[in-house]
């Protein structure tokens, strides 16, 4: 398949207070952006179990977005800093599993940044479109099922 015809499936894990509200603003402001994203709302990025990101890949996602409040704006004080630390660990795991880290985008989007949300989604859709479909999902599925890597 030619990648230009490929429509990536993107799962976005976002916090309720900033990015979800920002994405809502994108819609209420009638800004157009790629429709490839499905949003999963969490109270805070600090509550996102990053194994869910692998699970998204294991179940057929081509790309993932994680986004929450800007540094020092988290409604639970430091949840976004915890998420950022977990992201650093996850990057190593993704390398280990052979998942291109460009398939995950970590960002901060506030409730007033509807335009930034649209730009983030559009850019990530294009990045993942260039990478092509994620077809090694079995690696993530095996790792989640057995906790071992069967490279
Ligand atoms: Fe948004 Fe914590 S409430 S990142």
């Amino acid at each position: 398949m030619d990648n230009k015809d490929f429509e990536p499936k993107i799962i976005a894990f976002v916090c309720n207070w900033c990015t979800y509200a920002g994405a809502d603003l994108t819609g209420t402001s009638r800004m157009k952006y790629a429709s490839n994203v499905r949003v999963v709302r969490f109270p805070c990025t600090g509550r996102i179990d990053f194994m869910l990101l692998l699970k998204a890949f294991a179940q057929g996602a081509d790309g993932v977005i994680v986004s929450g409040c800007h540094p020092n704006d988290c409604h639970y004080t430091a949840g976004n800093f915890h998420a950022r630390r977990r992201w650093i660990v996850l990057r190593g795991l993704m390398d280990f599993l052979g998942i291109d880290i460009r398939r995950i985008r970590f960002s901060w989007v506030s409730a007033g940044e509807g335009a930034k949300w649209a730009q983030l989604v559009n850019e990530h859709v294009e990045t993942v479109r260039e990478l092509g479909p994620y077809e090694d999902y079995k690696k993530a599925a095996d790792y989640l099922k057995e906790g071992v890597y069967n490279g």
Side-chain angles (χ1 to χ4, degrees), residues 40-104:
V40 184
R41 178 167 49 158
F42 283 79
C44 173
T45 53
R47 296 300 303 270
I48 299 171
D49 178 343
F50 274 40
M51 283 298 129
L52 287 175
L53 279 55
L54 283 186
K55 200 165 188 176
F57 284 115
Q59 298 200 348
D62 300 301
V64 165
I65 292 172
V66 178
S67 182
C69 306
H70 284 265
N72 301 319
D73 283 348
C74 174
H75 285 54
Y76 304 97
T77 312
N80 49 4
F81 292 122
H82 293 302
R84 185 166 61 183
R85 268 185 237 127
R86 269 190 236 126
W87 164 232
I88 291 165
V89 172
L90 183 79
R91 283 174 69 110
L93 179 60
M94 288 182 64
D95 264 349
F96 176 70
L97 291 172
I99 303 172
D100 192 318
I101 59 171
R102 289 174 295 174
R103 290 188 184 275
I104 295 191

